[in-house]
Amino acid sequence: MEEIGGTERVLELKKELRRVTEALMVDDDEDGDLGVTDHAIETLRALKELKLKRSDFDEGIVKLKNLELQEPPQEFRCPISGILMKEPVVAASGQTFEELSIRKWLKEGNTKCPTTHQLLSHTALIPNHSIKNMITSWLNTTGRGDARPTRADEPGPNPTREHLVELLETLPDQTAAVGELRLLTACSSSARALVGEISGAIPRLLSPFLIERCYSDPALYEDMVATILNISTDNLCQEKILEGSTPTSTSAVVSFLSDALGSKNNDTRGHAAAALSTLSTLDANKAVIGESDAIKPLIKLLEEGHPFVSKDAAFAMLNLCTLTENRERALSHGAVTVVIDKIIARVFVDEMLEILARFSSHRKAVEEMEERDMVACLLSILGEAVGERCKENCVAIVYSMCYSDPRKLVMIKESEALSRVAKTGTSRAKRKATGLLERLDRFAFISNTM
C-alpha cells in the first residue's frame, strides 16, 4: 500500500510539472498550448492535494506522539510509588493511593499517612471509583486504552437520594439491601453523606430487629459491620450513629460492634475495630464506648497480634484512653501487660509506645513497668533505628518513671542515645531528655555532698 504523500509520487509529479512547463515555454501552437496548460494545472492540483495530505498526515503523527509522550496528571499518580494508579483507594486520612502501595506501607508498620503525616485512625481502605474512572478517561483520550486500570470501565455507584430511600425502606425485611448499602457507602462519599442527611436512615439501618438477625447470619453480620464503618467516616453520620446514647445507657450499636470484635471472621473483627476507632475520635462517644464491653476485646485483639486488626484495635485504644475512666478500665483488663509484651518483642512498637505513654503517669502502670525493667528496654529502643515519634514516647515514659523515683536516674547515666535525643530530637523529646539529664546532674551533686 502506497504511503500517504509518498516521496516517489511527489517526485514523479514534480518531474511531470517541470516537463509540461518546459513544453509551455517552447510550444507556439495555441490549441496545443491550451491542452498543455490544462495538463499543467491538473498536475499542479494533484501535487498540491498530495502535499496537503502529507501535511495532515505529519500533523496527525505529531499529535499522536505528543499524546504518547504526555505525562499523567499528578493526581493520577500514587504518592508512594509515583506511578499511574490502577486500583486507587482512599485511606483514613482522605488521601488516595494505589492499593498495593498503601497496603505495603501499612504492613511495614507505618501508622501515619505518607502525604499528610497525620496518624491514621484506622487501616480500612475504600475504593476511589471517581479517580479510577477519570484515569480510564485520560487513558482513552491519550490512546492508551489498552493499559487502562483493571475493571476501570465499571461505573462507580453514585446513588440518588430516591434510590437510597427506596433501599432503606426495604429494611429490615430485605436483608440483601444491607449488602448493597455496604457497596454504595464504600464506593461513594455522596452515599455516605446522604445516609446522614436522610431522616430516619440510621435508626432504620441499625434497627434492633436487623441487628439481632446478624447474629445468626455471618454474611449479613459482616455486611452490617462494614456498612457501619463506611458511614462512620462521614462527620454527620459519626454523630448520629450514637446519637441519644449516654454512658449509663450503652448504645445497642456499640454493644453490637463490641460483640463483633470476638467474631471468628478477621474481616468482621477488623471492620468493628476500625469503626470503634473512628467513632471514638468524638469526645462525646468515648464514655459511651468505654461503658460497653469494647475495651476488653480490643485488648485481646492487641494481644493476638493480627497485622491489620491489631493496628485498628491500637488506634481505638489510643482514642479511648485519653479519658481517665477508660484508662482505669484498660488497666483492670491487663492492657499494660499486653502492651509491654509487644514492646519487648518489638511488635507494633510505635503504636504500643503511644499507648504506654498514655499510662505512664498512672502509679499502678509505673509499678508494672518497673517490674518489667522498662527503663532499660526503652533506652535500648532509643539506640535503634526508630522514628522520631517513637523516640519521643520512649523519653516521655522514662521521664515519668524517673520523676516518681529519682533513684532510677542512675540507669540513664551512661545512655548516649538519650544525650543524642537531647540535641537532635523533636522539641518535646529534647525538652524531656534535657530535663532528665539535668535531674541526673542534680541527683549526682546531692549524692556527692552527702
Side-chain angles (χ1 to χ4, degrees), residues 119-122 228-229 231-235 237-239 241-242 253-254 257-258 261 271-292 294-295 298 311-323 326 358:
L119 194 66
L120 295 170
S121 59
H122 58 78
I228 295 172
L229 167 61
I231 64 175
S232 72
T233 61
D234 178 82
N235 292 336
C237 289
Q238 195 177 70
E239 294 174 4
I241 288 172
L242 302 186
V253 179
V254 176
L257 292 174
S258 299
L261 293 173
H271 294 325
L276 287 170
S277 174
T278 304
L279 291 170
S280 62
T281 57
L282 287 182
D283 289 338
N285 291 341
K286 291 175 182 177
V288 176
I289 295 172
E291 282 287 338
S292 73
I295 289 179
L298 282 171
K311 280 198 174 185
D312 287 327
F315 291 138
M317 288 293 295
L318 280 169
N319 292 334
L320 292 170
C321 288
T322 57
L323 208 63
N326 287 340
R358 292 272 197 273

Side-chain angles (χ1 to χ4, degrees), residues 134-146:
M134 290 169 67
I135 292 172
T136 302
S137 177
W138 178 84
L139 287 169
N140 290 333
T141 302
T142 57
R144 307 183 194 182
D146 291 340

Side-chain angles (χ1 to χ4, degrees), residues 393-429:
N393 282 317
C394 280
V395 174
I397 297 167
V398 172
Y399 184 90
S400 294
M401 293 179 69
C402 292
Y403 189 84
S404 61
D405 185 359
R407 290 172 298 179
K408 297 187 187 68
L409 288 167
V410 295
M411 300 179 68
I412 67 172
K413 186 176 180 180
E414 305 297 329
S415 176
E416 295 180 3
L418 188 64
S419 299
R420 283 198 300 272
V421 173
K423 296 175 183 177
T424 63
T426 64
S427 57
R428 179 170 177 255

Side-chain angles (χ1 to χ4, degrees), residues 34 116 202 257 262 306 368 371 392:
L34 187 58
T116 65
I202 291 177
L257 292 174
H306 186 278
E368 188 168 350
E371 291 174 5
E392 185 177 302

Side-chain angles (χ1 to χ4, degrees), residues 11 17 41 60 65 76 82 111 147 196 229 269 273-274 276 313-314 335 362 378 392 407 438 440:
L11 291 173
L17 183 61
I41 291 172
K65 286 182 177 179
F76 294 171
T111 58
L229 167 61
R269 291 195 300 167
L276 287 170
H362 196 287
L378 295 168
E392 185 177 302
R407 290 172 298 179
E438 289 175 351
L440 175 62

